[in-house]
Amino acid sequence: FSPGLLVVAGSFAAFRLLNRGLERLVPPPPSARRNRWKWRNIWTSLAHSSLPVTHNLPPCRFYLHPEMSNDLVGTHPPGAHSLVAVSVGYFLEDFVDMLCNQKLHQSWELLFHHSVVIICFGIAVLLHQYVGFALVALLVEINSIFLHLRQILLMANLVHTTCYRLNSLMNLGTYVVFRIATLAWMSHWLFLNRQNVPPATYAVGTVGMAIMTPMNIILFYRLLRSDFFK
């Protein structure tokens, strides 16, 4: 039994409670009232994406703990393991929320994405290894902030505003830097360290990267086409 599982369970419960109370904290505009669960879901996702930013950005972690640059398997700073465990709890909560409130043909991509993340992060939580590697993966959440803000602005019917246009630019910029480039670096790290990673873990990581990379490239194309080519 890993104490990290308690953090995962507590995180799941906390995000579930947050989801239930968000409609009072952030009332949906008239344009979003027909899809209230989606409004709550996006704001819950935004709250999770803000965690790596408020809890010392992963780049700051690497600056303060340079030893992690040489060892992403067994080295991690204090609090990093808990941050990864909290993320597992969030992805579990979001998985359940979509499964209960959205049709499968509308959410299968995200459910698939969440399954891969839960497995990969779950290994780091249970084994207390690869936490540094998971921290690198959390760089993606910096872009997710703008990705979720985009959805909120769309639901609030604020597409034709300066705020939406600025967010679109930030979204695409951070997408390239913190999502595509991060996944490319992680794939490169796995390839270089294939001799130092157990075969089963290496297989999970390789399959995860093979799934995530094309999914994110496709999403980038959709964003580019929707916000700039229409």
Side-chain angles (χ1 to χ4, degrees):
F1 178 78
S2 170
L5 293 178
L6 291 176
V7 180
V8 171
S11 171
F12 178 91
F15 279 109
R16 200 69 184 153
L17 287 171
L18 177 65
N19 185 292
R20 295 294 178 88
L22 265 170
E23 201 163 330
R24 295 180 182 178
L25 296 172
V26 191
S31 56
R33 286 174 188 165
R34 286 183 297 179
N35 204 355
R36 292 176 180 271
W37 88 264
K38 186 67 176 176
W39 180 259
R40 296 194 305 270
N41 179 274
I42 296 170
W43 276 100
T44 305
S45 299
L46 180 60
H48 168 257
S49 298
S50 303
L51 280 178
V53 178
T54 57
H55 191 71
N56 295 330
L57 279 171
C60 297
R61 293 275 189 171
F62 283 89
Y63 176 76
L64 295 172
H65 302 274
E67 66 276 7
M68 285 179 59
S69 301
N70 300 318
D71 182 15
L72 291 179
V73 178
T75 303
H76 58 267
H81 181 266
S82 296
L83 180 61
V84 175
V86 167
S87 292
V88 174
Y90 157 73
F91 283 112
L92 282 169
E93 190 281 330
D94 201 44
F95 188 98
V96 171
D97 194 38
M98 286 188 292
L99 206 59
C100 294
N101 294 289
Q102 200 170 29
K103 294 178 180 178
L104 189 59
H105 74 272
Q106 295 175 316
S107 61
W108 72 268
E109 289 182 44
L110 274 176
L111 291 173
F112 192 48
H113 168 275
H114 284 15
S115 299
V116 173
V117 175
I118 290 166
I119 291 170
C120 294
F121 279 24
I123 290 173
V125 170
L126 290 172
L127 300 182
H128 282 260
Q129 291 186 315
Y130 310 100
V131 175
F133 193 69
L135 272 187
V136 175
L138 283 174
L139 284 170
V140 169
E141 294 304 318
I142 296 173
N143 166 251
S144 294
I145 291 174
F146 301 100
L147 204 58
H148 297 319
L149 282 174
R150 177 183 179 274
Q151 290 182 292
I152 289 169
L153 292 169
L154 278 171
M155 291 193 72
N157 201 21
L158 296 172
V159 179
H160 304 291
T161 61
T162 303
C163 185
Y164 183 88
R165 179 58 59 185
L166 288 173
N167 186 75
S168 295
L169 291 170
M170 291 295 296
N171 186 28
L172 287 185
T174 55
Y175 200 104
V176 172
V177 175
F178 294 110
R179 196 173 284 267
I180 294 177
T182 296
L183 290 174
W185 186 91
M186 291 170 69
S187 300
H188 181 64
W189 185 90
L190 272 175
F191 177 76
L192 291 180
N193 291 272
R194 60 190 182 280
Q195 303 298 333
N196 304 320
V197 178
T201 308
Y202 180 75
V204 171
T206 304
V207 171
M209 291 298 102
I211 292 169
M212 292 296 191
T213 301
M215 284 182 70
N216 279 279
I217 291 173
I218 291 169
L219 178 56
F220 181 76
Y221 169 73
R222 289 175 181 171
L223 290 170
L224 200 63
R225 185 182 62 181
S226 175
D227 287 356
F228 293 95
F229 290 162
K230 272 191 176 182

